[in-house]
């Protein structure tokens, strides 16, 4: 790995057991990660690939380090989920999610 590859920042989500999120955030910050947000059972961070590897290797609290490939904003539900069907067929309709 070259220096230019290791310096690139990426977005990650690190999972952990519920209740230890703040401890995980402190641990990640000590390993060099930039904490974006702490959520239930995980921490969002920006870090280089080197830092992500360090978190995988040295964190005692992290379960998984997940690389975010894409972030979508404003994704809408399918039209079938938006309202009642025009014709009632008598069958129940369910929408995923």
């Amino acid at each position: 790995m070259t220096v230019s590859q290791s310096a690139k920042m990426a977005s990650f989500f690190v999972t952990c057991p519920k209740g230890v999120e703040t401890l995980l955030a402190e641990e990640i910050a000590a390993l060099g990660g930039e904490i974006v947000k702490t959520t239930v059972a995980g921490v969002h961070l920006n870090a280089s690939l080197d830092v992500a590897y360090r978190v995988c290797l040295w964190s005692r609290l992290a379960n998984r380090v997940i690389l975010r490939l894409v972030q979508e904003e404003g994704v809408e539900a399918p039209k079938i989920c938006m309202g009642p069907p025009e014709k009632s067929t008598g069958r129940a309709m369910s929408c995923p999610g």
Side-chain angles (χ1 to χ4, degrees), residues 1-60:
M1 184 179 337
T2 65
V3 175
S4 64
Q5 288 176 335
S6 65
K8 290 181 183 177
M9 297 291 277
S11 181
F12 295 92
F13 179 68
V14 181
T15 63
C16 66
K18 290 181 182 178
V20 298
E21 299 89 352
T22 55
L23 295 172
L24 177 62
E26 291 172 7
E27 190 176 64
I28 290 171
L31 292 169
E34 177 188 322
I35 306 302
V36 175
K37 183 169 85 170
T38 301
T39 63
V40 175
V43 176
H44 295 271
L45 70 135
N46 291 327
S48 66
L49 199 54
D50 290 347
V51 172
Y53 284 136
R54 261 188 256 137
V55 171
C56 284
L57 182 63
W58 295 111
S59 176
R60 294 175 292 165

Side-chain angles (χ1 to χ4, degrees), residues 57-68:
L57 182 63
W58 295 111
S59 176
R60 294 175 292 165
L61 301 171
N63 291 335
R64 295 182 181 175
V65 177
I66 302 167
L67 172 63
R68 177 182 295 160

